[in-house]
Amino acid sequence: MSDSVQIQVADSHLYPGCAVHIAHLPKSERTAATVVAVVEFADGSGANATCHLRAHDELELTVDGYATQKRHPVNARHWLLLAVDATHNSWRVKRRLP
C-alpha cells in the first residue's frame, strides 16, 4: 500500500471510550499484518501510527509520541479499538494495551 490510512480522533488524545473515524480501511489491508497510518487529532495535532486487525471488529493501533497544539507531550501508546458499525468506519477505544 503506497498511501497511509487516515485516522481521525474526536479529541486531542486517545483514551478508553474515545471516538475514532477511519474512512477508508481497505478490505485487502484488513488482513495484512501491519498498515501505516496518520492520526489526526481534533486540536489539529497529528502523529504517525501503525494498525493491525486482530479480529473482525478489533484493531490494534500503535501511535508514535506527539505534542498537542497546546504543546503537551503525549508518549507513544498502544491501543485496542472496537468497530462501532458494520462498515468499519466508526471505532471506539476499548483500552490501552501494554
Side-chain angles (χ1 to χ4, degrees):
M1 183 169 103
S2 60
D3 295 325
S4 58
V5 171
Q6 297 293 314
I7 298 175
Q8 296 174 326
V9 178
D11 207 333
S12 62
H13 61 284
L14 292 165
Y15 52 86
C18 182
V20 176
H21 183 75
I22 306 173
H24 302 288
L25 183 62
K27 288 182 182 181
S28 63
E29 297 302 331
R30 291 183 186 167
T31 58
T34 302
V35 176
V36 175
V38 174
V39 181
E40 299 172 355
F41 295 94
D43 69 348
S45 59
N48 292 322
T50 56
C51 52
H52 171 73
L53 197 68
R54 279 175 102 171
H56 177 68
D57 291 335
E58 290 186 342
L59 182 74
E60 285 185 42
L61 179 65
T62 303
V63 181
D64 293 346
Y66 68 99
T68 66
Q69 285 294 338
K70 292 184 178 181
R71 299 181 190 237
H72 295 288
V74 179
N75 293 332
R77 300 252 164 85
H78 192 179
W79 300 95
L80 176 63
L81 281 63
L82 296 178
V84 175
D85 62 10
T87 64
H88 290 90
N89 289 339
S90 296
W91 299 78
R92 287 237 182 249
V93 176
K94 180 176 182 181
R95 65 183 166 92
R96 188 171 157 196
L97 296 171

